Amino acid sequence: MNPTSSLTAPGTGVKGSGPGGKADADRPASGVTAAERLLSLVQRQGVLAVLLLVVVIASFAYPTFATLDNSRGVLVQASFLSIVALGMTLVIITGGIDLSVGSVFALGGVLAAWASQWGLLPALLVPLLVCGAIGTLNGLLIARAGMAPFIVTLASLLGARGLLLAFTDEGATTYLVPKGSAFAELGQGTVGGFGYPILVALALFGLGGLILQRTSFGQTLFAVGGSADAATLMGLPVARAKVTVYVLSGLLAGFAGALNAARLSSGVTIIGTGMELDAIAAVVIGGTLLVGGAGSVSGTLWGVLLLAVIQNLINQIGSLNSSYQSVVSGGFLILVVVAQRYVSRSRRTL
């Protein structure tokens, strides 16, 4: 058996054909037809076109939408979800899922607020250690014990939320971040009018893009998501890659929670509920396939911004409440999944 004949090409989700097959005969010298390149571009960057279209229409419809202050507010609100969604992107590319990120986000915020009384370093290290440990446990149970990601991370969702409630006396205790501290500045400070959370999120996405597209680890993630069995036959560290992405997902969710606590100056216990669904929606809307093997961090970023813009538009309208965001987000999600199936089916026939 030739392992390369069944592998999915990293970052594209395009199945390879055996040497000398009909698909090879019909392809140009580059190995990829113009139609395939177009379909791949639609899958990866279609959400950006939708985002730009919505922004242009909203700017004409609501004059306050395009103001600098409103744009800053949208970006700050999107920064926390984007960090969580970055970790989710890596997990989904490998064919997994992480339902625990919402609870881990809330837990990270409470732990950071509690530890902030001892300074900036403890406020960051404590949530990273605890949330990273949760991600490690998820990864080991999934990659080493062979358990289903849905079940493992669902249990972690409940466990992290339970730990949060126990730590805060069922939510009765709220830990405050000292005013004027370096940790508070991390969440509330600005550079050129843009908050630190925005800059941190952009830096993390830049790093994530480099890792995913320019390193052997990133290519391993695509191979694992395309076919774990084929990746194993190629000698790739499949189990280690799966453990790593869940660790990163836990770390990023905890870090986002810590940043949010710094911005709010407290560890809020009721946040994070349903955040895992928002993160999954942003990732899928951004073009990452739920079955794994294809995706990009840039698409996830556009997906997060699209959801944030929709929420802001609902606020601009005024007569609609925030629950309509879920309706619109669900509609976008269905449309994207249908489009992905159409694109995948079209690429298989080329």
Side-chain angles (χ1 to χ4, degrees):
M1 173 182 176
N2 181 9
T4 61
S5 64
S6 59
L7 276 180
T8 301
T12 65
V14 180
K15 299 273 185 184
S17 299
K22 182 180 184 298
D24 289 335
D26 293 339
R27 292 175 184 268
S30 63
V32 181
T33 66
E36 285 178 317
R37 284 196 296 269
L38 178 60
L39 289 172
S40 179
L41 181 63
V42 169
Q43 178 183 313
R44 290 183 286 108
Q45 303 298 340
V47 65
L48 177 58
V50 174
L51 173 62
L52 293 175
L53 179 62
V54 171
V55 168
V56 170
I57 294 175
S59 299
F60 283 104
Y62 303 96
T64 58
F65 175 83
T67 62
L68 186 58
D69 287 341
N70 186 63
S71 299
R72 289 168 179 165
V74 171
L75 292 176
V76 168
Q77 292 301 318
S79 60
F80 307 110
L81 176 60
S82 66
I83 295 173
V84 176
L86 175 59
M88 185 71 76
T89 303
L90 302 179
V91 170
I92 292 180
I93 283 176
T94 64
I97 201 77
D98 190 352
L99 300 179
S100 68
V101 292
S103 295
V104 172
F105 172 83
L107 177 62
V110 169
L111 292 175
W114 169 75
S116 65
Q117 58 187 308
W118 293 291
L120 174 63
L121 196 59
L124 293 176
L125 286 180
V126 171
L128 288 179
L129 288 173
V130 175
C131 297
I134 294 174
T136 302
L137 179 61
N138 287 340
L140 290 175
L141 290 176
I142 292 167
R144 301 294 184 183
M147 297 180 65
F150 182 89
I151 299 300
V152 172
T153 58
L154 179 61
S156 296
L157 178 155
L158 300 174
R161 186 66 65 172
L163 183 59
L164 165 66
L165 293 175
F167 190 71
T168 59
D169 298 322
E170 301 293 330
T173 302
T174 300
Y175 297 100
L176 302 178
V177 176
K179 293 183 178 179
S181 64
F183 180 61
E185 179 68 14
L186 180 63
Q188 302 169 16
T190 61
V191 174
F194 292 91
Y196 286 151
I198 300 173
L199 303 179
V200 170
L202 289 175
L204 289 173
F205 266 82
L207 180 61
L210 288 175
I211 291 174
L212 198 59
Q213 300 294 338
R214 302 297 181 183
T215 67
S216 59
F217 172 71
Q219 299 307 299
T220 297
L221 300 187
F222 285 117
V224 170
S227 174
D229 292 337
T232 301
L233 290 174
M234 293 179 64
L236 297 176
V238 174
R240 186 171 65 190
K242 288 184 177 181
V243 172
T244 302
V245 294
Y246 283 98
V247 173
L248 290 174
S249 182
L251 289 172
L252 289 170
F255 180 64
L259 271 182
N260 188 61
R263 179 166 180 80
L264 299 178
S265 296
S266 65
V268 182
T269 59
I270 59 174
I271 61 174
T273 302
M275 192 178 199
E276 60 280 351
L277 301 181
D278 291 335
I280 294 171
V283 172
V284 176
I285 288 173
T288 298
L289 299 180
L290 269 176
V291 295
S296 67
V297 297
S298 61
T300 295
L301 182 59
W302 310 139
V304 171
L305 289 176
L306 180 58
L307 295 181
V309 167
I310 291 171
Q311 176 62 57
N312 189 260
L313 275 176
I314 290 172
N315 295 336
Q316 296 278 340
I317 294 173
S319 60
L320 301 176
N321 58 48
S322 59
S323 62
Y324 281 90
Q325 183 194 11
S326 299
V327 177
V328 178
S329 299
F332 266 109
L333 187 58
I334 292 174
L335 288 175
V336 168
V337 171
V338 171
Q340 284 184 352
R341 288 180 61 86
Y342 171 77
V343 169
S344 298
R345 188 175 304 168
S346 298
R347 292 168 70 174
R348 283 198 299 267
T349 60
L350 293 176

